[in-house]
Amino acid sequence: MGLIVQKFGGSSVADKERIFNVADIITRKYKEGNDIVVVVSAQGDTTDDLLAQAYDINPDASRREVDMLITAGEQMSVALLAMAIEKLGFPVVSLLGWQAGFTTSSTYGGARIKRLIPDRIRKELDKKNIVVVAGFQGINRYGDLTTLGRGGSDTSAVAIASVMHADLCQIYTDVEGVYTADPRKVPNARKLAEISYDEMLELATLGAQVLNNRSVEMAKKYNIELEVLSSLTRAPGTIVREAVKMEKMLISGVAKDSNVARISVIGVPDKPGLAFTIFSRLSSKDINVDIILQSIGRNGTKDITFTVTMEKLKEALAVLHDLADLIGTSEVVYDEDVAKVSIVGAGMESHPGVAAEMFEALFEAQVNIQMIATSEIKISVLIDEKDADRAVAAIHSKFFSPDEM
Amino acid sequence: MGLIVQKFGGSSVADKERIFNVADIITRKYKEGNDIVVVVSAQGDTTDDLLAQAYDINPDASRREVDMLITAGEQMSVALLAMAIEKLGFPVVSLLGWQAGFTTSSTYGGARIKRLIPDRIRKELDKKNIVVVAGFQGINRYGDLTTLGRGGSDTSAVAIASVMHADLCQIYTDVEGVYTADPRKVPNARKLAEISYDEMLELATLGAQVLNNRSVEMAKKYNIELEVLSSLTRAPGTIVREAVKMEKMLISGVAKDSNVARISVIGVPDKPGLAFTIFSRLSSKDINVDIILQSIGRNGTKDITFTVTMEKLKEALAVLHDLADLIGTSEVVYDEDVAKVSIVGAGMESHPGVAAEMFEALFEAQVNIQMIATSEIKISVLIDEKDADRAVAAIHSKFFSPDEM
C-alpha cells in the first residue's frame, strides 16, 4: 500500500484492446489498496500523424502552434483511458498537463519542467480517484501549451513520482526491461533484474532507447525507484535504483549507437587555445561533441578528431568552415559510416581488466578500433558501422558467456 | 476598419484545401485593416469520430471525460488553421476556449457561458495578431473542460462579438444564407438579404437549422449584426439584425419540422387544474410541449392534444402513464407521422389575411390541417408527414410567386 506512478507509452494504448489491457493493470494495483497516478502518452502514431498534417500545411509552422496541435494527442488518450477505467467500475479522473500542475520553460517543443504543483492530483487522490495525467505536456508563463520533447512522458511520470514521494514509478513500454544488449540483434542478450541510475544513464546516451535520459537523471536526484516493464507480457521488469550490490556484476550491458559521425581536422597549427576555441564555438551552437582525440601530425601540426551526432554533422562542418582563419590550411575530413559501441558497468571501476577484455573480443572478431573513450563506468570504441553488430555480439559473448548466465 | 468576428463550421475547415480557403478569407479582411477574431469548430466529422471511439470503449462514459475527449477536436483545428495563416505570412495565434476567457456552467456536454473575459484576445489583437479561438468549449469552476453543446461554436462567436462590441459577426457555413424555404426541396426558394432576430429565432426553432438559437438570442440581446454566408461560394449572405424595414416583406420564410409527434389524451374528466397538472409534470421532466389543443369530448369529458419532439415521445407517454390515477379512464393515443409547417414573418402582425392565405394554399394542395398555432410573427400547422413537402411548396408559391421575386 502506497503511492504508485505508472507510465504507459503510446504503443501500450494504441487501440481499444490495449487500452483495456492497461486499464486492467491499473485497476489491479488500485484494488491492492494503492493510490495510483497514471501518465499516458498519445496513442500509437497519433503524434507523428499530427506532425505530418502540420508539415503538410506549413513546413515552417511555429513551434507554438505545433505544440498546440500535438498536445491534443495526449488529451484524447487520457480521456479514452479514463473511460475504460470507468467501464471497469472504478473512480477515475483525467487531467491535462496544466491541470496536473506542470509549469514549464517557454521553449516550445522541448520545454523543461520548471515547477510541478500537484494540488489537483492530491485532491483527486483524496477522493479515491485513479488520476490519469497527460504526459509530455505543460503550460508556460504565457499560459500557452508546451511539450517536453520526445520521450517527455517518462519525465512527466518521474516528476510526479519525485514531487509526491511515490513508492515506485513503473515505466510500461513495449520491451520487457533493460537487456545486456539489443535482444533483436544479440540472441543470448538477457534481461537485467537491476541496474543503477548511472549505468542506465550511460546506456541511454549510448543508444539503448529504453528510458528517457532526463527522467533517469531526475529519478536519481530524488532517489525514486523505477521499474521498466512491458504492458503486454506483464513479466517482472528491470528495477533502476541506487547501486547496492553492483560488485557482483562486472558490466551491465553492451550498447551500439550508429547515429554518429566522425570529423577530423588535420594539420592544425600548434597554437595555444586553438582546440579550446573550436570546441567552445561548437558548444555555443548547441553541438555536443563526444569522443575527442588529439594527436601529433606532420611538421609540428596537430590532428584533432571528434564525433558528433549525425544531425549535427552539417552544422559542425559549417562552424569549422567559419573558423578557416584560425585553423589555417588544415584539412577537414569526415566519416558518417561509423558506430560507437560501448560497455557499461558500475563494476568495472574495481576491475582494471575490463577494457583489455573488450579489446580482445574486438581483436578476435577482426574489428578495427578507430577511437577509444572511457569513463568510470563506461568504455566506448568508435568503429566502422559495418562491423558494429558483429562487435556487439563478440563483446557480449565475452562478458555474458552462456555458462555465466 | 473595425473588429470582425468570423466563425467557420467544421465543413469549412474539413481538409487542407478548405483550411487554406478559410485562411484566405480571414487574411483578406485583415489586410483591409480590420482586427480579426476567428472562431472555429472541429474539422469535418472529427467530433462524431471521437464520440464513436468513446462509445465503443464505454457507452456510459461520463460526460466529463467525453468533453475532455472532444474538445481536442477544436484544439487541432485552431492549430492547423493558425499554421495555414502563418504560411500565408500573417501574424496569428490560436487560443483554446479557456485561454480565450470562456468560463461556463459545470454541466458537461451542454454548458452555458457564464463569463467571457477577453483579456488575452485583446492583448493578442493589440499585438496585431489574428486570433483563432476554439469554439464550442470553455472551462468550469472546477478547472475542467466543458462543451457548449451542438452548434455551440456559433454561440462562442456571438459571445466574443457581444463582449468585445464587434462591428460584425460573420457565421460562415455550408449554405449561402437564410432562404424563404429549404432550397433542396423548393426550387424557387430565394435567399433573403435581411431577416430580423425574431424571425430568425422562429425559423431556427422550426427546423431551419442555419443558426444556433442561443447565438441568435445573444446577438439580439447585445444588438450584434450577424451575417450568415458560405465559405465556399463567398457570395453575399443574409444579414440578421433588428427589424427596420420589415413591413415590405409579408413573410420571410416557410419551414418544416418533421421531428415532432402528436399525443392525444381522450376523454379526460372535466376536473379543474387537470391540464395544468399534466403540463407542469411534463415540464418538470424537461419535456417541451409545443402546439396545444383542448376540445370538448363525449359525455362532458375533454380531449387534450399536444406535440412534443420525437426524442421526448417515450418519456412523455411514461409521464402520462404515471398520471393514470388522475386522468382516470382516458385513452392516450399518439402519432409519429406528423410534421409542423410554419410561416414566419414580422410583417404578418399588420396583415390579418396571412393566415387565410396560408390555409387557402393548403386547401388547394389538398392538405388536411390537424392543429393550428399562431404567434405574432408565426403561423404553424400540424399535418400528415407525407404531405409536408407538398405543403411547403404550395405555401411558398402562394407567398413567393415568381412574378413577385
Side-chain angles (χ1 to χ4, degrees):
Chain A
M1 301 239 294
L3 172 62
I4 301 181
V5 177
Q6 302 182 309
K7 182 259 168 176
F8 297 92
S11 60
S12 296
V13 290
D15 54 35
K16 180 185 172 184
E17 196 192 336
R18 291 194 178 182
I19 287 174
F20 273 106
N21 171 58
V22 162
D24 180 60
I25 293 175
I26 293 165
T27 54
R28 273 168 197 269
K29 280 282 177 218
Y30 179 83
K31 270 189 287 189
E32 290 169 10
N34 298 293
D35 284 342
I36 307 284
V37 180
V38 179
V39 174
V40 203
S41 307
Q43 291 181 277
D45 301 323
T46 307
T47 306
D48 289 332
D49 291 348
L50 288 173
L51 285 172
Q53 261 188 286
Y55 294 128
D56 182 37
I57 282 183
N58 184 354
D60 301 314
S62 68
R63 287 294 325 188
R64 181 196 184 273
E65 298 301 337
V66 170
D67 278 2
M68 177 66 111
L69 179 70
I70 62 179
T71 47
E74 296 86 42
Q75 181 168 343
M76 294 186 279
S77 63
V78 292
L80 292 172
L81 178 55
M83 289 172 192
I85 293 172
E86 283 178 349
K87 176 78 180 172
L88 299 184
F90 292 87
V92 63
V93 68
S94 69
L95 298 177
L96 300 173
W98 63 269
Q99 291 175 316
F102 281 95
T103 313
T104 74
S105 66
S106 40
T107 320
Y108 300 103
R112 296 192 75 93
I113 299 169
K114 289 187 74 171
R115 236 194 341 267
L116 169 57
I117 301 173
D119 292 352
R120 176 77 191 265
I121 297 179
R122 240 178 233 125
K123 217 170 89 185
E124 299 295 344
L125 289 177
D126 288 345
K127 288 193 234 165
K128 290 296 158 207
N129 277 326
I130 294 169
V131 183
V132 180
V133 176
F136 176 67
Q137 53 174 247
I139 194 170
N140 66 15
R141 64 202 174 100
Y142 306 114
D144 287 335
L145 304 186
T146 53
T147 64
L148 307 179
R150 283 293 165 133
S153 290
D154 289 355
T155 314
S156 307
V158 177
I160 292 172
S162 301
V163 171
M164 302 190 75
H165 308 291
D167 299 284
L168 176 62
C169 180
Q170 297 186 307
I171 309 286
Y172 285 88
T173 172
D174 48 4
V175 296
E176 278 195 18
V178 183
Y179 282 77
T180 52
D182 186 342
R184 287 163 304 183
K185 297 278 175 58
V186 180
N188 56 355
R190 62 172 167 150
K191 187 167 69 184
L192 296 167
E194 269 189 39
I195 188 169
S196 72
Y197 297 120
D198 287 340
E199 291 173 302
M200 194 65 227
L201 280 170
E202 292 285 14
L203 282 174
T205 22
L206 295 172
Q209 300 297 351
V210 181
L211 265 182
N212 174 271
N213 237 5
R214 280 158 65 190
S215 60
V216 181
E217 278 167 16
M218 200 185 291
K220 177 181 153 90
K221 184 170 165 194
Y222 293 95
N223 199 25
I224 294 297
E225 188 168 312
L226 298 179
E227 183 178 7
V228 179
L229 68 177
S230 158
S231 60
L232 301 176
T233 69
R234 302 196 186 184
T238 300
I239 296 280
V240 188
R241 64 169 145 219
E242 208 45 82
V244 273
K245 39 177 183 168
M246 290 300 145
E247 304 91 323
K248 285 203 288 184
M249 271 265 280
L250 202 54
I251 77 163
S252 54
V254 186
K256 178 189 86 166
D257 185 2
S258 302
N259 183 30
V260 62
R262 196 198 68 220
I263 300 177
S264 297
V265 191
I266 295 170
V268 180
D270 193 7
K271 281 187 271 181
L274 209 151
F276 169 75
T277 308
I278 291 176
F279 292 120
S280 70
R281 195 68 68 91
L282 288 166
S283 152
S284 74
K285 298 273 179 187
D286 227 15
I287 300 169
N288 274 321
V289 167
D290 189 18
I291 309 180
I292 300 175
L293 190 142
Q294 182 170 310
S295 55
I296 306 298
R298 281 162 300 182
N299 307 326
T301 62
K302 292 189 294 190
D303 298 345
I304 297 177
T305 304
F306 55 90
T307 61
V308 294
T309 58
M310 289 289 259
E311 301 86 49
K312 297 286 185 178
L313 175 59
K314 258 194 182 166
E315 260 183 276
L317 294 174
V319 168
L320 292 172
H321 184 82
D322 291 345
L323 289 173
D325 280 354
L326 212 59
I327 56 179
T329 56
S330 340
E331 188 190 356
V332 175
V333 297
Y334 64 92
D335 186 353
E336 297 172 272
D337 299 326
V338 291
K340 189 168 61 174
V341 169
S342 312
I343 56 173
V344 171
M348 66 173 67
E349 273 188 278
S350 45
H351 288 73
V354 171
E357 221 170 322
M358 180 184 186
F359 301 154
E360 186 183 11
L362 291 169
F363 170 72
E364 285 166 4
Q366 298 280 308
V367 174
N368 192 39
I369 300 172
Q370 300 181 11
M371 296 170 82
I372 299 170
T374 61
S375 82
E376 286 172 341
I377 63 165
K378 179 192 73 177
I379 303 169
S380 300
V381 295
L382 196 75
I383 59 177
D384 259 15
E385 192 171 8
K386 66 171 170 38
D387 295 332
D389 287 338
R390 203 154 40 89
V392 169
I395 297 169
H396 192 268
S397 299
K398 181 68 95 188
F399 289 99
F400 302 96
S401 56
D403 53 296
E404 272 183 33
M405 290 173 76
Chain B
M1 300 241 294
L3 172 61
I4 301 182
V5 177
Q6 301 183 310
K7 182 256 167 178
F8 296 92
S11 61
S12 296
V13 291
D15 55 35
K16 182 184 171 185
E17 193 191 338
R18 291 195 180 183
I19 287 174
F20 273 106
N21 172 56
V22 163
D24 179 61
I25 293 176
I26 294 165
T27 53
R28 273 168 197 268
K29 279 282 177 214
Y30 179 84
K31 269 188 288 189
E32 290 170 11
N34 299 293
D35 284 343
I36 307 284
V37 180
V38 179
V39 174
V40 202
S41 307
Q43 290 181 279
D45 301 323
T46 307
T47 306
D48 288 333
D49 291 348
L50 289 173
L51 284 173
Q53 261 188 284
Y55 294 127
D56 183 37
I57 283 183
N58 183 356
D60 302 314
S62 68
R63 285 295 325 188
R64 181 196 183 273
E65 297 302 336
V66 170
D67 278 2
M68 177 67 109
L69 179 70
I70 61 177
T71 46
E74 296 85 44
Q75 182 167 342
M76 295 185 279
S77 64
V78 291
L80 292 172
L81 177 55
M83 291 172 190
I85 294 172
E86 284 177 350
K87 176 79 179 168
L88 300 184
F90 292 87
V92 63
V93 67
S94 69
L95 297 177
L96 300 173
W98 63 268
Q99 291 174 315
F102 281 95
T103 313
T104 73
S105 66
S106 38
T107 319
Y108 300 103
R112 297 192 74 93
I113 299 168
K114 288 185 75 170
R115 236 191 345 264
L116 169 58
I117 300 172
D119 292 352
R120 178 76 192 266
I121 297 178
R122 240 178 233 124
K123 215 170 91 186
E124 299 296 344
L125 289 176
D126 287 347
K127 288 193 234 166
K128 289 295 156 208
N129 277 326
I130 293 169
V131 183
V132 180
V133 176
F136 178 66
Q137 53 175 244
I139 195 171
N140 66 18
R141 62 201 175 101
Y142 306 113
D144 288 336
L145 304 186
T146 53
T147 63
L148 306 179
R150 285 294 166 129
S153 290
D154 289 354
T155 315
S156 307
V158 177
I160 293 172
S162 301
V163 171
M164 302 191 73
H165 308 291
D167 298 285
L168 175 62
C169 180
Q170 297 185 308
I171 308 286
Y172 285 86
T173 174
D174 47 5
V175 297
E176 277 194 20
V178 182
Y179 282 78
T180 52
D182 185 341
R184 288 164 302 183
K185 298 280 175 58
V186 180
N188 56 354
R190 62 173 168 150
K191 188 166 67 182
L192 297 166
E194 269 190 40
I195 188 170
S196 72
Y197 297 121
D198 286 340
E199 289 172 303
M200 194 64 226
L201 280 170
E202 292 284 13
L203 282 173
T205 24
L206 296 172
Q209 301 298 351
V210 182
L211 263 183
N212 175 272
N213 236 3
R214 281 158 64 190
S215 59
V216 181
E217 280 166 16
M218 200 185 293
K220 177 181 155 89
K221 186 170 162 194
Y222 292 95
N223 201 23
I224 295 297
E225 187 167 313
L226 299 178
E227 182 177 9
V228 178
L229 68 178
S230 160
S231 61
L232 302 176
T233 68
R234 303 195 186 186
T238 300
I239 296 279
V240 188
R241 66 170 144 218
E242 207 47 81
V244 274
K245 41 176 182 169
M246 289 300 144
E247 303 92 324
K248 284 203 289 185
M249 271 264 282
L250 202 54
I251 78 166
S252 54
V254 186
K256 178 187 87 166
D257 184 2
S258 301
N259 183 29
V260 63
R262 195 197 69 220
I263 300 178
S264 296
V265 192
I266 294 171
V268 180
D270 192 7
K271 279 187 274 180
L274 210 151
F276 169 74
T277 307
I278 292 176
F279 292 120
S280 70
R281 196 68 68 90
L282 288 166
S283 151
S284 74
K285 298 274 178 189
D286 229 14
I287 301 168
N288 274 322
V289 168
D290 189 19
I291 310 181
I292 300 173
L293 188 143
Q294 183 171 312
S295 55
I296 305 299
R298 278 161 304 176
N299 305 327
T301 61
K302 293 190 294 192
D303 298 346
I304 298 177
T305 305
F306 55 89
T307 61
V308 295
T309 59
M310 289 291 260
E311 302 86 50
K312 296 288 186 178
L313 175 59
K314 259 194 179 166
E315 260 184 276
L317 293 173
V319 167
L320 292 172
H321 183 82
D322 292 345
L323 289 174
D325 279 355
L326 212 61
I327 56 178
T329 54
S330 341
E331 189 190 354
V332 175
V333 296
Y334 65 91
D335 186 353
E336 297 172 272
D337 300 325
V338 292
K340 189 167 60 176
V341 170
S342 312
I343 55 174
V344 171
M348 66 174 67
E349 274 187 278
S350 44
H351 288 72
V354 172
E357 220 169 324
M358 178 185 187
F359 301 152
E360 185 182 9
L362 292 171
F363 170 73
E364 284 164 5
Q366 296 281 309
V367 175
N368 192 37
I369 300 172
Q370 300 180 10
M371 294 171 82
I372 299 169
T374 62
S375 82
E376 285 172 342
I377 63 164
K378 179 192 73 175
I379 304 169
S380 299
V381 295
L382 196 76
I383 58 176
D384 260 13
E385 192 171 8
K386 66 170 170 40
D387 295 334
D389 287 338
R390 201 154 42 90
V392 169
I395 296 168
H396 192 268
S397 300
K398 180 69 92 185
F399 289 98
F400 302 95
S401 56
D403 52 294
E404 273 182 32
M405 289 172 76

